[in-house]
Amino acid sequence: MASATSRMMEAQELATIGCIEHPADRYMAAHRAAEQLALVVISGTPGRVRGRHDVWELLARRAPHLAEWAAFFGYLSTRVKVVAAGERAIVGEREADDLVRDLERFLTDISRRTRVRRVVS
């Protein structure tokens, strides 16, 4: 659990990506941070994962209470790939800032739900 906790703290630090100057970089960094958070959650669930899986599909299966977030970030994955391939102009300031705020809400939701589950367990 210590490594999951440290990875969660790293992800929290990534939530400060609002300082990244270029919107496309901020957008991609926010999505990468969300993926890291999803991996932290997945690693804390029981069972093994065999083979390659989409992180968002796996999150929805392993943590159904986060399925809405998984669908949201999964939907954005294609756009992130397009931006990463060089189409940086398709992301504006507002869209990048919105995704940073969504990342912060995702982190808050994970933290709150994890805390609630630990208290109940």
Side-chain angles (χ1 to χ4, degrees):
M1 189 63 152
S3 75
T5 302
S6 64
R7 287 193 304 184
M8 182 70 90
M9 287 172 35
E10 288 172 22
Q12 286 175 322
E13 290 170 12
L14 288 174
T16 62
I17 60 174
C19 300
I20 296 173
E21 189 173 334
H22 196 280
D25 294 332
R26 198 162 54 246
Y27 188 86
M28 289 188 301
H31 196 268
R32 273 194 306 273
E35 286 178 334
Q36 291 300 310
L37 286 169
L39 290 171
V40 168
V41 171
I42 292 164
S43 71
T45 60
R48 295 186 68 173
V49 178
R50 298 187 194 282
R52 296 184 66 130
H53 295 276
D54 176 79
V55 66
W56 303 114
E57 290 175 12
L58 194 53
L59 179 65
R61 281 199 316 254
R62 302 292 284 280
H65 58 283
L66 297 172
E68 203 170 319
W69 282 114
F72 172 73
F73 285 111
Y75 174 77
L76 297 178
S77 293
T78 301
R79 187 171 182 84
V80 169
K81 289 176 188 169
V82 171
V83 173
E87 296 294 327
R88 298 166 56 81
I90 66 170
V91 176
E93 291 285 339
R94 174 143 187 198
E95 188 175 8
D97 291 342
D98 286 348
L99 190 55
V100 171
R101 282 188 291 277
D102 290 331
L103 169 64
E104 291 168 353
R105 284 192 288 270
F106 182 45
L107 175 60
T108 299
D109 197 26
I110 290 170
S111 298
R112 183 174 40 91
R113 289 173 186 263
T114 302
R115 205 171 25 246
V116 167
R117 249 194 321 226
R118 284 189 191 140
V119 169
V120 172
S121 297

